[in-house]
DNA sequence: AGCCCTTGCGCG
DNA sequence: AAAGCGCGCAAGGGCT
């Protein structure tokens, strides 16, 4: 492992964790020679107690997890890999590799090695052992790379002080996020297998043997088939979109897909059964007994977050779908005996962010209220809250259909600054420019493929190039029928441009919302540490879950009220850190509960 | 058998 | 007429 202590250290080996530590100035200048530590976690713990430095390491995902597993936690860090991603993004190189080795290679004008994909969890420990062993002789070398890369990153951040004064905060918050993610991965979310079982059995019937369908699903599958005229046992599979589509068309429905929202309202006994089947089947396949077998250990669920895994800076997850857990399964999340869950949700976060970043006084006035949409409705929509919400969401997502036009027109006249803000972001995206979040995270530049599609420049091989995987604008590529090739091109090019416009329009909001949430999380973590320090007789409260704009803290009940207060304090501070003085409020819905499902 | 793509749906 | 943003995961289905 490699660590630097504003400070840095390098370590290797999974056994007794030897490693290196080097003290640095804020700028990354060495204050002394690298020091070898036989037991790196112990050395880190000691220096954390005595100095409390900002630790620098190559990647919290690897390095800090190791420390946490050894029982050591720190207050602050600089995560070189995550900061590299942010800086590369600003330099228009989102796709460049971001590992320590890659960053170091770039510094020396050498070709950067590609990032290695994360191994599946089963292989991970084995590989890690191997890597660590192989790395051991390199530990001192990795420290040198780390110190260089850190100093370079500090300079790159400072060099952008004028254009992006928020970058330093962003780097700190992103790094703190990595601390939180590693700690959640180690602590786990309390998860009651018996409650999970009860929910599943209630909805699906008892757990089946092997990979058979649970009773209710099997029964529904047969009845859906029968309702569409299939003899029982003649192999109608409701999971097959092809078969379902055929059955629906045979029943006289001109449908283009079998999506649930598309089917709802179709008057046919089979459709109703099919919708019920879909819902239960989803529960079974995505979060049923197999999921439980794979991901719940010792009454804990261990989410594997990917900090900054989304281009907007939101977190993603790996393997177990932690951000998609069905709300009904929150019933299985129950605090330990003598503990509580403090659940806090930042309501209406994105429209509030729009109010804050656009400086629209009218919208900011509404965002100073507890229910932004109601205030907006009172001010501009004759009290029609649903219309106000629909219009504002449509404005932030770039919606044009569904009779939303008049709502947008009202918003444009009443809240010109807010609407101008998102529309400018959309125009930037359509014309191939880059937009940035409040703190300075940049959206990806358009790929060559996009440029080719929009401008007509570039040849076939560019269109085939990898580039735009996941890039907006290429959803339905097929040109319908013969027609005029030039007209087709014009249509497709306009479509790709508008798709990117919707992306950038939303990016400025979503990315800034992610920043507020990240700073909130970082400050909450700090508050919790202070709370733990003030209550040495109690186990520490732990952040155990985070979903974009919502946190869950598992805490000894004695300090649950203080934790709830800390959550609010952190949110207020986050507002100030990210937006400075603003009338916009970011109210939380906070609940102290035994069971996650009981929050709101 | 395994890879890759599409479809569909869960979450915010 | 019309295309509202961002994700991850499982299953089907075509392919090698």
């Amino acid at each position: 492992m490699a660590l630097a202590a504003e400070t840095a250290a390098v370590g290797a080996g999974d056994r007794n964790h030897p490693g290196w530590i080097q003290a640095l100035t804020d700028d990354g200048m060495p204050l002394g020679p690298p020091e070898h530590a036989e037991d790196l976690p112990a050395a880190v713990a000691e220096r954390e107690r005595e100095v409390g430095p900002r630790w620098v390491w190559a990647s919290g995902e690897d390095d800090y997890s190791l420390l946490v597993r050894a029982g050591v936690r720190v207050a602050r860090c600089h995560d070189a890999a995550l900061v590299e991603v942010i800086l590369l993004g600003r330099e228009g190189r989102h796709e460049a590799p971001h590992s320590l080795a890659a960053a170091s290679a770039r510094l020396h004008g050498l070709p950067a090695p590609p990032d290695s994909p994360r191994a599946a969890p089963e292989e991970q420990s084995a590989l890690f052992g191997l890597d660590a062993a192989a790395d051991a002789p390199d530990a001192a070398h990795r420290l040198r790379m780390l110190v260089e890369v850190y100093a370079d990153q500090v300079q790159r951040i400072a060099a952008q002080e004028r254009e992006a004064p928020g970058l330093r905060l962003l780097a700190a918050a992103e790094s703190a996020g990595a601390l939180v993610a590693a700690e959640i991965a180690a602590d786990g979310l309390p998860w009651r297998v018996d409650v999970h079982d009860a929910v599943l059995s209630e909805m699906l019937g008892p757990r089946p043997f092997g990979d058979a369908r649970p009773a209710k699903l099997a029964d529904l599958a047969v009845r859906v088939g029968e309702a569409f005229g299939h003899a029982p046992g003649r192999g109608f599979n409701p999971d097959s979109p092809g078969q379902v589509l055929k059955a629906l068309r045979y029943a006289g429905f001109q449908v283009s897909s079998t999506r649930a929202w598309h089917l709802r309202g179709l008057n046919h006994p089979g459709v109703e059964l099919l919708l019920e089947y879909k819902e239960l089947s989803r529960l079974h396949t995505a979060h049923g007994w197999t999921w439980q077998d794979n991901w719940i250990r010792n009454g804990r669920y261990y989410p594997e977050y990917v900090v900054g895994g989304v281009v907007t800076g939101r977190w993603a997850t790996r393997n177990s779908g932690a951000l998609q857990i069905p709300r009904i399964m929150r019933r299985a999340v129950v605090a330990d005996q003598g503990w509580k869950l403090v659940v806090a949700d930042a309501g209406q976060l994105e429209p509030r962010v729009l109010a804050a970043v656009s400086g629209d006084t009218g919208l900011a006035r509404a965002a100073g209220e507890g229910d932004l949409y109601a205030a907006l409705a009172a001010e501009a929509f004759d009290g029609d809250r649903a219309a106000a919400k629909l219009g504002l969401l449509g404005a932030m997502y770039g919606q044009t259909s569904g009779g939303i036009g008049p709502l947008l027109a009202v918003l444009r006249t009443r809240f010109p600054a807010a609407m101008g803000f998102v529309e400018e972001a959309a125009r930037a995206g359509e014309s191939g420019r880059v937009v940035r979040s409040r703190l300075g995270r940049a959206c990806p530049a358009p790929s060559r493929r996009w440029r080719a599609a929009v401008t007509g420049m570039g040849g076939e091989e560019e269109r085939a190039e990898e580039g735009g995987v996941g890039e907006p604008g290429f959803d339905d590529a097929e040109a319908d029928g013969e027609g005029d090739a030039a007209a087709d091109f014009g249509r497709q090019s306009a479509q790709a441009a508008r798709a990117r416009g919707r992306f950038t329009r939303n990016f400025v909001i979503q990315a800034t919302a992610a920043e507020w949430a990240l700073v909130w999380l970082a400050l909450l973590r700090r508050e919790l540490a202070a709370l733990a320090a003030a209550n040495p007789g109690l186990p520490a409260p732990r952040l155990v879950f985070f979903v974009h704009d919502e946190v869950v803290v598992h805490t000894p009940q004695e300090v649950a009220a203080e934790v709830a207060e800390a959550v609010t304090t952190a949110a207020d501070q986050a507002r100030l850190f990210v937006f400075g003085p603003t009338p916009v409020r970011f109210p939380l819905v906070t609940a102290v509960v035994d069971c996650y499902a009981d929050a709101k």
Side-chain angles (χ1 to χ4, degrees):
Chain A
M1 179 200 324
L3 290 180
E6 180 146 340
T7 297
V10 171
D14 213 358
R15 273 309 120 188
N16 51 3
H17 314 306
W20 293 85
I21 296 183
Q22 183 166 25
L24 308 173
T25 66
D26 281 2
D27 301 339
M29 297 300 116
L31 283 170
E35 299 162 39
H36 187 259
E38 275 310 317
D39 182 346
L40 188 64
V44 169
E46 185 188 341
R47 196 172 297 226
E48 177 73 10
R49 260 195 319 274
E50 289 170 1
V51 187
R54 171 182 290 113
W55 295 92
V56 180
W57 45 59
S59 162
E61 191 167 9
D62 300 320
D63 300 322
Y64 188 54
S65 317
L66 207 74
L67 290 177
V68 172
R69 262 179 274 155
V72 176
R73 303 192 181 208
V74 306
R76 298 183 299 151
C77 79
H78 175 101
D79 190 305
L82 293 179
V83 172
E84 188 69 17
V85 170
I86 292 169
L87 290 171
L88 285 171
R90 287 190 63 87
E91 293 153 11
R93 309 178 61 189
H94 272 272
E95 73 299 333
H98 58 265
S99 67
L100 175 63
S104 173
R106 276 191 293 270
L107 270 183
H108 292 100
L110 300 170
D115 294 327
S116 47
R118 297 296 292 189
E122 315 84 64
E123 308 159 47
Q124 229 167 63
S125 51
L127 276 180
F128 189 81
L130 276 178
D131 275 4
D135 267 354
D138 286 346
H141 176 56
R142 282 177 63 80
L143 177 61
R144 284 194 296 276
M145 292 198 298
L146 179 61
V147 171
E148 264 184 4
V149 166
Y150 173 62
D152 175 63
Q153 290 183 343
V154 169
Q155 275 182 19
R156 283 148 84 197
I157 291 172
Q160 307 188 55
E161 185 71 42
R162 291 275 299 283
E163 320 88 90
L167 216 48
R168 198 184 309 272
L169 173 60
L170 179 56
E174 190 91 337
S175 298
L179 300 179
V180 173
E183 288 165 4
I184 293 179
D187 292 329
L189 177 69
W191 191 281
R192 285 269 297 272
V193 168
D194 57 332
V195 178
H196 187 196
D197 273 333
V199 173
L200 290 173
S201 304
E202 180 189 319
M203 305 193 68
L204 303 167
R207 176 173 191 166
F209 291 104
D211 49 10
R213 275 197 183 113
K216 284 202 188 167
L217 273 184
D219 177 56
L220 271 169
V222 170
R223 284 160 64 204
V224 172
E226 283 173 352
F228 285 113
H230 287 71
R234 288 297 300 279
F236 175 78
N237 182 6
D239 288 325
S240 164
Q243 288 184 35
V244 172
L245 206 58
K246 238 186 247 176
L248 286 165
R249 291 198 171 139
Y250 194 74
F253 297 111
Q254 301 301 314
V255 287
S256 55
S257 91
T258 69
R259 288 191 180 89
W261 62 265
H262 212 116
L263 268 46
R264 233 173 287 282
L266 259 42
N267 188 19
H268 188 281
V271 169
E272 211 164 303
L273 292 167
L274 180 60
L275 289 173
E276 195 183 342
Y277 176 90
K278 278 172 174 290
E279 198 181 324
L280 295 181
S281 167
R282 168 80 196 182
L283 201 63
H284 175 242
T285 56
H287 293 93
W289 289 281
T290 308
W291 181 87
Q292 185 193 99
D293 288 348
N294 287 337
W295 305 114
I296 308 299
R297 302 193 315 272
N298 308 320
R300 290 289 187 272
Y301 168 52
Y302 299 93
E304 207 180 327
Y305 290 107
V306 185
V307 175
V310 180
V311 285
T312 59
R314 274 187 171 187
W315 293 10
T317 55
R318 254 193 301 264
N319 302 326
S320 69
L323 298 179
Q324 297 118 259
I325 297 193
R327 295 183 72 96
I328 191 172
M329 285 309 173
R330 293 182 177 188
R331 285 160 61 179
V333 180
V334 180
D336 291 350
Q337 199 61 243
W339 291 60
K340 292 281 181 187
L341 297 172
V342 176
V343 180
D345 181 312
Q348 309 171 338
L349 179 56
E350 295 200 345
R352 291 175 192 279
V353 164
L354 173 57
V357 292
S358 67
D360 189 294
T361 49
L363 191 57
R365 195 157 50 239
E369 301 294 324
D371 185 346
L372 182 151
Y373 297 126
L376 193 66
E379 189 157 332
F381 290 90
D382 293 328
D384 186 345
R385 187 180 182 280
K389 180 174 177 177
L390 203 65
L392 199 51
L393 290 175
M396 290 189 298
Y397 293 154
Q399 184 176 354
T400 54
S401 64
I404 203 179
L407 303 180
L408 296 178
V410 170
L411 288 172
R412 242 173 247 126
T413 47
R414 301 296 300 277
F415 308 98
M419 293 300 281
F421 185 84
V422 288
E423 280 167 6
E424 168 54 26
R427 279 194 297 274
E430 287 169 9
S431 59
R433 275 138 56 206
V434 161
V435 296
R436 293 177 190 82
S437 67
R438 172 79 178 187
L439 297 184
R441 193 187 303 266
C443 84
S447 66
R448 271 183 295 186
R449 180 175 174 231
W450 184 90
R451 286 188 195 284
V454 170
T455 65
M457 312 289 271
E460 284 308 306
E461 92 248 43
E462 304 221 281
R463 295 178 64 96
E465 163 227 22
E466 46 87 33
V469 177
E471 178 164 2
F474 300 98
D475 314 316
D476 41 295
E478 110 274 2
D480 36 9
E482 289 301 303
D484 181 345
D488 274 352
F489 177 80
R491 207 162 43 236
Q492 281 172 30
S493 124
Q495 178 186 322
R498 277 197 299 269
R500 187 160 191 278
R502 288 194 300 277
F503 166 65
T504 51
R505 171 194 291 265
N506 186 251
F507 182 95
V508 294
I509 308 291
Q510 190 182 110
T512 304
E515 281 163 357
W516 179 88
L518 197 58
V519 172
W520 178 39
L521 202 60
L523 295 171
L524 172 58
R525 179 176 180 275
R526 194 170 75 180
E527 296 280 326
L528 293 180
L531 199 53
N535 293 274
L538 288 173
R542 299 291 194 202
L543 264 161
V544 287
F545 204 52
F546 172 60
V547 196
H548 307 312
D549 59 1
E550 183 172 353
V551 298
V552 180
V553 179
H554 190 218
T555 177
Q557 60 188 7
E558 292 86 343
V559 290
E562 283 101 315
V563 168
E565 206 181 306
V567 166
T568 305
T569 306
D572 287 341
Q573 290 177 340
R575 167 177 75 159
L576 207 62
F577 269 73
V578 177
F579 300 109
T582 167
V584 176
R585 292 175 52 223
F586 292 86
L588 304 178
V589 178
T590 305
V592 179
V593 291
D594 292 313
C595 175
Y596 193 4
D598 294 338
K600 92 169 176 194

